Amino acid sequence: MIYNINIGSQLLGCIFKNPSLIMNPQFPLQPDDFAPEQFHKILFLCASKAYQAGINDITEIEIDNIAKSHNAAYEILVDNRFEDFVATVRELASLDNYESYWNSIRKYSMLRQMKEAGMNVDKWFDETVDNGDRTAEFTIQEMLAEYEVLTNKLRTTYDTKYVRHEMYAGEDTEGLLEQFEQKPMMGACLSSPYETTIYNGWCRSQLLLRGAKSGLGKSRQAVADLCFLGVKQLWDDEAQDFIDNPNYQGSTFFIHTEMETRINVNPMFLACISGVDNSTITKASYTKDERNRILKAGEILEDSRIRLVDMPNFTSRGLETKIKECVQADGAAYGVFDYIWLNRDVSLEYQQSMGTNVRPDMAIASIAADLKQYAEAYNVGLMTMCQLSRNYEQQEFCDASCLAGAVAMQDKLDCGSVMIGAKDKPKSWKKVEAYIKKRGFGEGSEDDQPNIVEHIFKARYQDTSYSKFKIWSKIDRGTMRRKDYFVTDENDELISINRTTPYGEKDFDEQ
């Protein structure tokens, strides 16, 4: 038979260890990929059902619970001593080799389909002789090249570098509606309810970028957004306790390039989760109760699995390797890269790949393009940041032209914004100040007034009649908590935008 039981076993072992691989669009799988070995096919179907049920680590116990209600399938599992098999392949399988296992299994599937279509596949797999498997010597693309005209359908199905997906419009509409009914196309909530609405949430496979001048808090805001979807519990001032986070999405990662991980980055996460000011933590000026809160926040962080990665000498290839590792090893769904800039290594990398000197703006745009590619390839939501050019000082509405280095970055973004101080544009502040006084925010106190305004210049999937937005908010730099006040258009006219939070129509801090 055109199959390899050992490779199929290794592939299943990887899936048992990280079931999210089943839904990775870069490595599509289907039950028929294991069809020649009925035992393997049943195990794959069980693993798929377990993952759909929210199980992220599959052992023989989960397989037993799912399969025992299906007598015929369960009998096959028992006959093949599935409990020992699952435990063994989990131990032996290497996630680092998953792509190799997947490539082999998909080659066998393609060859079986080619043979069923009447094609001679003996060149690659001759079933009449021992050691007739020569698939390791060829890529899928090379195999298909010999049947270019006859294999268009096969190419579309198996060669994801040719066409990622193809269908006729309107096909399986009922199935599409059922998919939306079960899981509407809405990403995870950000720390800004208005931004969540405008962006339609932070979706996996999308790239978000936030530009801000140095010192305004772009890294801190990114920490807040990552905590808001990456930790299992958050401190609530009103409850005076940690409460469950309904927006929790699973493991995440934070790749940074300029700070010391233990004493600079980690305290920001502790502060955001505990609600204890960052400087209070780093200066050890906390009370006994606050110390206990910080310790509890540390436990929550460890349990939530946010990987902190220091990569000062990053390259694009290195970023891809680390993102892939976080996704495959931790099951990470979201991550932050702080931030886009040019170091010597990445500049040299692009110069070597393009074979010529590369302008700084071209290199910066290439980093953004690569991040977007990695977001799609590994089905992970990515956020990144960048500095601003001096151009932001001249423009009343800060768009992509204010980003340092490359306006072309906006082409690859799904969502983009520029964050500045609320009073950086006196003309705009004067226009909204009357509204602030009318609403009585803080009764004139600056403690309850916007201190930042975020200019949204791109939101690919937003469905309002506006194309540009200004979100007026207050950010507590000590705890990274954000409070939205109102939204205006690019001309500072108030507009009505719904607030989207996991708690309904309130901010987290208002619960």
Side-chain angles (χ1 to χ4, degrees):
M1 63 180 176
I2 303 178
Y3 189 67
N4 187 304
I5 291 177
N6 289 333
I7 294 176
S9 299
Q10 296 286 349
L11 186 65
L12 286 170
C14 291
I15 290 171
F16 295 150
K17 293 165 77 171
N18 184 3
S20 67
L21 292 168
I22 295 172
M23 300 303 294
N24 190 325
Q26 189 183 15
F27 305 113
L29 282 172
Q30 56 189 10
D32 282 348
D33 290 321
F34 302 89
E37 180 57 50
Q38 187 70 3
F39 173 52
H40 285 187
K41 183 176 181 179
I42 293 171
L43 286 172
F44 176 77
L45 289 168
C46 290
S48 298
K49 290 183 179 180
Y51 179 67
Q52 292 171 5
I55 298 172
N56 293 313
D57 188 22
I58 299 172
T59 67
E60 58 271 23
I61 297 173
E62 285 74 30
I63 299 295
D64 184 83
N65 289 336
I66 290 172
K68 63 185 178 184
S69 60
H70 304 277
N71 295 334
Y74 192 66
E75 184 175 343
I76 292 174
L77 294 182
V78 172
D79 288 344
N80 285 273
R81 301 176 62 185
F82 76 95
E83 294 178 335
D84 291 339
F85 175 86
V86 172
T88 300
V89 297
R90 276 176 54 89
E91 182 178 352
L92 297 178
S94 170
L95 288 170
D96 289 339
N97 296 328
Y98 179 78
E99 184 173 353
S100 175
Y101 303 148
W102 174 86
N103 259 313
S104 297
I105 291 301
R106 291 289 279 182
K107 287 178 189 176
Y108 299 138
S109 296
M110 185 184 71
L111 290 178
R112 291 196 302 272
Q113 190 171 343
M114 291 172 71
K115 185 176 181 180
E116 290 173 4
M119 301 178 188
N120 187 342
V121 299
D122 289 349
K123 176 178 179 178
W124 302 293
F125 200 112
D126 189 347
E127 296 181 85
T128 65
V129 298
D130 293 334
N131 301 318
D133 184 356
R134 298 184 58 214
T135 54
E137 302 173 27
F138 303 89
T139 66
I140 285 177
Q141 291 78 17
E142 290 169 339
M143 294 176 182
L144 289 170
E146 294 197 17
Y147 295 98
E148 189 68 41
V149 176
L150 300 176
T151 60
N152 282 336
K153 183 176 181 180
L154 294 174
R155 183 178 293 278
T156 297
T157 302
Y158 292 101
D159 183 5
T160 55
K161 293 184 178 180
Y162 171 58
V163 174
R164 185 167 58 184
H165 182 64
E166 181 176 292
M167 63 175 285
Y168 288 101
E171 183 180 322
D172 189 26
T173 300
E174 184 174 0
L176 179 65
L177 294 179
E178 291 176 354
Q179 178 181 334
F180 287 149
E181 288 163 5
Q182 293 177 7
K183 189 175 182 180
M185 197 177 76
M186 177 73 189
C189 290
L190 294 146
S191 59
S192 164
Y194 287 133
E195 193 169 52
T196 300
T197 300
I198 294 169
Y199 285 173
N200 197 33
W202 183 4
C203 297
R204 295 175 68 163
S205 81
Q206 291 187 2
L207 175 64
L208 279 58
L209 180 142
R210 179 181 288 124
K213 64 181 182 180
S214 181
L216 192 62
K218 54 183 177 291
S219 297
R220 293 170 183 263
Q221 188 56 39
V223 167
D225 287 324
L226 200 62
C227 284
F228 203 59
L229 57 78
V231 296
K232 296 181 178 181
Q233 290 183 307
L234 287 163
W235 176 263
D236 178 73
D237 285 331
E238 184 173 329
Q240 284 295 292
D241 199 358
F242 291 93
I243 65 173
D244 291 339
N245 180 10
N247 192 43
Y248 176 66
Q249 303 293 315
S251 296
T252 56
F253 57 89
F254 187 89
I255 301 173
H256 61 97
T257 63
E258 292 187 331
M259 297 178 283
E260 204 283 332
T261 305
R262 180 175 175 81
I263 64 174
N264 296 135
V265 178
N266 196 51
M268 289 194 292
F269 283 87
L270 291 170
C272 187
I273 296 169
S274 67
V276 177
D277 194 280
N278 183 74
S279 63
T280 299
I281 296 174
T282 58
K283 294 178 182 178
S285 57
Y286 36 72
T287 65
K288 181 179 180 180
D289 286 343
E290 288 174 333
R291 190 177 194 275
N292 290 333
R293 277 166 56 183
I294 299 165
L295 289 173
K296 177 62 177 178
E299 294 176 5
I300 294 170
L301 267 175
E302 285 194 73
D303 187 42
S304 300
R305 304 291 293 173
I306 299 179
R307 191 189 293 215
L308 307 182
V309 182
D310 184 8
M311 292 183 69
N313 301 314
F314 71 90
T315 62
S316 178
R317 186 178 293 263
L319 285 174
E320 179 182 17
T321 299
K322 182 53 65 176
I323 291 169
K324 179 180 179 181
E325 178 188 340
C326 290
V327 171
Q328 293 187 349
D330 297 341
Y334 291 88
V336 168
F337 171 56
D338 182 20
Y339 59 99
I340 293 179
W341 62 286
L342 291 184
N343 61 35
R344 180 181 179 277
D345 297 271
V346 76
S347 297
L348 182 60
E349 177 186 34
Y350 285 124
Q351 181 176 326
Q352 291 174 340
S353 66
M354 297 180 185
T356 182
N357 289 332
V358 181
R359 297 196 317 267
D361 61 315
M362 293 173 59
I364 286 178
S366 295
I367 296 173
D370 287 348
L371 288 173
K372 172 57 178 175
Q373 179 183 337
Y374 304 151
E376 292 185 343
Y378 302 110
N379 192 31
V380 58
L382 291 180
M383 176 184 290
T384 190
M385 293 78 78
C386 72
Q387 299 279 21
L388 298 185
S389 68
R390 296 297 296 271
N391 194 39
Y392 92 92
E393 297 175 354
Q394 282 75 49
Q395 294 193 199
E396 284 302 317
F397 183 83
C398 298
D399 56 19
S401 67
C402 300
L403 303 178
V407 177
M409 281 193 292
Q410 68 175 321
D411 295 340
K412 295 299 181 181
L413 304 179
D414 293 287
C415 304
S417 70
V418 170
M419 189 171 70
I420 64 174
K423 297 182 180 180
D424 282 358
K425 303 292 181 183
K427 181 179 176 181
S428 292
W429 176 257
K430 184 177 181 180
K431 198 164 184 178
V432 301
E433 189 174 22
Y435 177 71
I436 291 173
K437 292 179 178 178
K438 180 180 179 181
R439 286 288 303 269
F441 294 134
E443 296 181 351
S445 169
E446 292 189 2
D447 290 338
D448 193 16
Q449 291 184 1
N451 59 10
I452 65 105
V453 55
E454 189 160 6
H455 296 213
I456 309 294
F457 62 81
K458 185 171 184 179
R460 192 188 298 275
Y461 300 106
Q462 71 94 11
D463 54 6
T464 73
S465 59
Y466 302 94
S467 59
K468 299 177 180 179
F469 309 82
K470 294 182 181 180
I471 304 176
W472 298 80
S473 312
K474 178 187 175 183
I475 294 178
D476 185 328
R477 286 176 51 83
T479 62
M480 278 63 76
R481 301 297 178 93
R482 175 169 176 167
K483 180 178 181 180
D484 283 354
Y485 287 91
F486 53 87
V487 182
T488 64
D489 63 14
E490 60 185 304
N491 299 313
D492 303 308
E493 298 293 337
L494 288 168
I495 58 178
S496 178
I497 297 291
N498 292 329
R499 299 155 61 86
T500 303
T501 83
Y503 303 89
E505 293 299 313
K506 291 184 177 180
D507 287 328
F508 176 82
D509 293 322
E510 294 178 334
Q511 292 299 303

